[in-house]
């Protein structure tokens, strides 16, 4: 008696069957075809890492695998596509968010009130803990900031290319009204807390910071202050061609020019 060979899937097509719903149709190497699942779905999406999010008849979400089984033991309120890190964001029926891997396991035990997936663009996810504090979660399950921060919503605008990818610097507010500057690769740039941070190393490689004495100085990417004495800032102007920062003060120096992280005479 000859052993029967197992059929191999040549391709899979996502289909929408009238009156039934959506499913996936497998085409086999012997020319036959069959639905991947006996269940039809309200919504179905393409496979990534051989996993696809599907919305079931109960209006909740899960993931279906190429073998036709479901990834999660329990359905969830929201299920997003897997990213290039092999991670996906889900929202449980408790309304809390988590990050899962391709095996349906949580990346870390924590669940969050809020989670914004910036993994693809910046390599982090902005998360809000149940205590109301924020941090940035990395794909390896570690957090970018050593201390959770008071408010991320005020500076989510900083999550633009220059702010978070401009040599990986980020200004954070660990305590209301006080800011710290972090080097995303190396940690805290300076232990000093600032009342304000202006120009997060844009164009000229420096930031203007307001210190505890309510006066201002200029800090470079090494965490060193460029001005010998703090100044009373009146105004500033940033020119891009060429990249020059002009600072106008009232301490006797009417203008200070900075380019490429250095004071220009």
């Amino acid at each position: 008696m000859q052993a029967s060979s197992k059929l191999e899937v040549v391709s899979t097509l996502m289909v929408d069957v009238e009156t039934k719903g959506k499913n996936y149709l497998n085409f086999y190497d012997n020319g036959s075809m069959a639905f991947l699942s006996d269940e039809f779905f309200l919504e179905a999406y393409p496979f990534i890492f051989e996993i696809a999010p599907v919305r079931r008849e109960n209006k909740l979400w899960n993931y279906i695998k190429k073998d036709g089984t479901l990834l999660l033991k329990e359905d969830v309120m929201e299920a997003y596509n897997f990213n290039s890190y092999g991670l996906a964001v889900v929202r449980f029926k408790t309304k809390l968010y988590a990050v899962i891997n391709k095996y349906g396991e949580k990346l870390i035990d924590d669940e969050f009130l809020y989670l914004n997936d910036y993994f693809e663009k910046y390599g982090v996810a902005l998360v809000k803990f149940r205590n109301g504090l924020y941090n940035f979660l990395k794909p390896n399950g570690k957090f970018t900031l050593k201390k959770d921060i008071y408010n991320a919503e005020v500076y989510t605008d900083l999550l633009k290319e220059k702010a978070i990818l401009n040599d990986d610097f980020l200004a954070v507010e660990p305590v209301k009204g006080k800011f710290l500057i972090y080097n995303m690769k190396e940690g805290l740039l300076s232990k000093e807390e600032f009342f304000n941070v202006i120009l997060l190393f844009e164009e000229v490689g420096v930031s203007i910071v307001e210190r505890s004495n309510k006066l201002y100085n200029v800090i470079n990417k090494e965490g060193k202050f460029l001005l010998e004495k703090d100044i009373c800032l009146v105004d500033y102007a940033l020119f891009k061609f060429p990249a020059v920062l002009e600072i106008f003060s009232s301490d006797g120096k009417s203008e200070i020019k900075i380019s490429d992280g250095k004071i220009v005479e």
Side-chain angles (χ1 to χ4, degrees):
M1 182 176 178
Q2 187 177 8
S4 60
S5 59
K6 184 179 179 181
L7 294 179
E8 291 187 8
V9 177
V10 177
S11 62
T12 302
L13 179 67
M14 190 167 59
V15 295
D16 192 348
V17 180
E18 189 175 358
T19 72
K20 287 189 175 182
K22 297 181 180 181
N23 207 327
Y24 301 87
L25 192 60
N26 282 339
F27 294 86
Y28 297 95
D29 56 356
N30 68 347
S32 64
M33 58 184 179
F35 287 116
L36 175 64
S37 172
D38 293 334
E39 179 181 355
F40 285 79
F41 305 103
L42 298 177
E43 294 182 56
Y45 289 86
F47 283 95
I48 300 175
F49 294 111
E50 299 193 345
I51 306 168
V54 289
R55 192 179 183 207
R56 308 181 73 185
E57 287 292 334
N58 59 10
K59 298 185 179 179
L60 296 175
W61 290 82
N62 210 312
Y63 295 91
I64 193 168
K65 297 186 287 184
K66 277 290 185 75
D67 64 4
T69 62
L70 295 176
L71 179 68
L72 304 177
K73 293 179 180 178
E74 293 186 13
D75 297 336
V76 294
M77 288 181 64
E78 298 172 23
Y80 295 89
N81 283 323
F82 279 83
N83 57 37
S84 60
Y85 294 97
L87 301 173
V89 176
V90 296
R91 191 182 189 193
F92 298 116
K93 287 181 275 189
T94 59
K95 298 186 178 180
L96 295 174
Y97 292 87
V99 178
I100 63 169
N101 61 23
K102 295 180 290 182
Y103 307 103
E105 304 164 336
K106 288 194 292 185
L107 179 64
I108 59 174
D109 288 334
D110 286 310
E111 296 176 3
F112 309 101
L113 291 175
Y114 171 86
L115 195 154
N116 204 328
D117 182 357
Y118 292 106
F119 283 125
E120 293 289 8
K121 197 168 185 180
Y122 304 122
V124 295
L126 172 64
V127 298
K128 182 179 182 181
F129 296 98
R130 281 180 268 191
N131 62 5
L133 298 179
Y134 293 79
N135 211 315
F136 293 89
L137 180 64
K138 297 179 182 180
N140 61 6
K142 296 182 179 180
F143 292 99
T144 298
L145 309 178
K146 292 181 180 179
K147 291 184 178 180
D148 300 333
I149 55 181
Y150 167 76
N151 199 337
E153 292 178 323
V154 244
Y155 58 78
T156 47
D157 285 344
L158 294 182
L159 294 176
K160 293 179 180 176
E161 191 168 333
K162 282 189 178 179
I164 203 166
L165 294 183
N166 188 14
D167 294 323
D168 296 319
F169 287 95
L170 179 69
V172 302
E173 190 179 9
V175 179
K176 188 174 183 179
K178 293 183 180 180
F179 291 85
L180 290 170
I181 299 177
Y182 277 86
N183 181 324
M184 299 287 279
K185 294 178 180 177
E186 300 175 9
L188 198 59
L189 179 69
S190 170
K191 292 182 179 180
E192 183 174 345
E193 293 178 327
F194 304 109
F195 287 163
N196 195 10
V197 177
I198 303 170
L199 300 176
L200 193 63
F201 302 109
E202 291 185 27
E203 309 294 343
V204 292
V206 298
S207 287
I208 303 171
V209 293
E210 182 183 2
R211 309 184 73 182
S212 58
N213 57 10
K214 301 296 181 72
L215 297 178
Y216 289 79
N217 209 310
V218 177
I219 193 170
N220 65 16
K221 294 177 183 179
E222 287 73 47
K224 297 180 180 179
F225 294 105
L226 297 190
L227 308 181
E228 293 182 4
K229 293 182 179 181
D230 298 336
I231 61 173
C232 179
L233 180 69
V234 175
D235 203 355
Y236 68 91
L238 178 62
F239 301 94
K240 297 189 176 182
F241 303 104
V244 176
L245 172 66
E246 288 192 29
I247 297 176
F248 304 92
S249 64
S250 59
D251 65 347
K253 290 185 178 180
S254 57
E255 289 186 14
I256 299 168
K257 293 184 179 181
I258 298 172
S259 180
D260 195 25
K262 300 176 182 178
I263 296 177
V264 180
E265 299 296 334

